[in-house]
Amino acid sequence: MFASTKKVRLAVTVVAVAAAAFMNSCGGKKVSATQAAASGGFETVTTPATELEEIKRSLEDKNIPCGIGIGESTDEMVARNVPSDEARTEVAKAVDVHVQRLSESYAQNVGNEAKKIWEEAVRQITDQHVKGSNVYKTVVQFNKENGHYKIYSLIILNPALFKAAISQAMASDEEFEMRVKKDEMMSKLDANIAEYESKYRR
């Protein structure tokens, strides 16, 4: 009788474990379905922007201002102009970031007011060159169904122009000229120029 009771308990335990495993597997399917629904049917894809973003990241690591633009139109010329203008806007933003980094890295001993004046001068001088900067790489797509062109553009600002703007702005501010770590900064900028000349110049 006692042995029979033990057998019954063992059988109940096995059934309970099997049921739990079954419920967990069903629960797993529900989570998977929920996750699929949450994704909204989207899947990861690679576009021309992906390739340009990789180049952009490499340039940003070397403090070389650049920007990406995307345009779409049934008119090819419009489709080309839109991303170029967009990319130049991004280059101008990149210049702001690079100027800030240089200021923080090499001008610790310069007063805040002098820093602000220098940073603004670099931006103004560089802005003239940004407007005339050339497209480094363009990818053109055409949709036969709707007759639309989609164009991706990457623009790079020649770091030699960036360095010239920095030097010009520095020369106009005596405090900045005297206290900034000029040699160290220029050495870094020269390395960026060498990188640009060897890999990215068109």
Side-chain angles (χ1 to χ4, degrees), residues 113-184:
E113 190 60 32
K115 273 188 186 180
K116 289 178 183 177
I117 293 171
W118 176 78
E119 290 173 6
E120 184 57 33
V122 174
R123 291 186 185 101
Q124 288 180 357
I125 297 167
T126 308
D127 188 52
Q128 300 168 16
H129 299 299
V130 169
K131 292 174 183 175
S133 56
N134 296 319
V135 175
Y136 169 73
K137 185 166 187 175
T138 299
V139 179
V140 181
Q141 295 182 325
F142 181 71
N143 187 326
K144 291 181 180 178
E145 293 181 7
N146 60 18
H148 278 224
Y149 291 91
K150 192 167 188 177
I151 300 180
Y152 302 76
S153 296
L154 169 65
I155 285 181
I156 304 174
L157 177 68
N158 187 333
L161 300 174
F162 187 45
K163 178 186 175 183
I166 287 171
S167 298
Q168 187 177 335
M170 192 179 298
S172 65
D173 191 311
E174 186 176 347
E175 180 180 352
F176 209 91
E177 174 75 24
M178 290 176 63
R179 297 187 180 182
V180 74
K181 296 177 182 177
K182 184 177 178 181
D183 292 341
E184 191 176 334

Side-chain angles (χ1 to χ4, degrees), residues 13 19 61 77 138:
T13 302
D61 288 343
M77 188 54 68
T138 299

Side-chain angles (χ1 to χ4, degrees), residues 24 29 38-39 55 57 72-73 76 83 92 100 110 117 122 133 148 185:
N24 284 338
K29 287 180 181 176
S39 70
I55 299 173
R57 276 193 294 273
E72 182 176 342
S73 175
E76 184 180 0
Q100 189 66 38
V110 180
I117 293 171
V122 174
S133 56
H148 278 224
M185 181 193 287

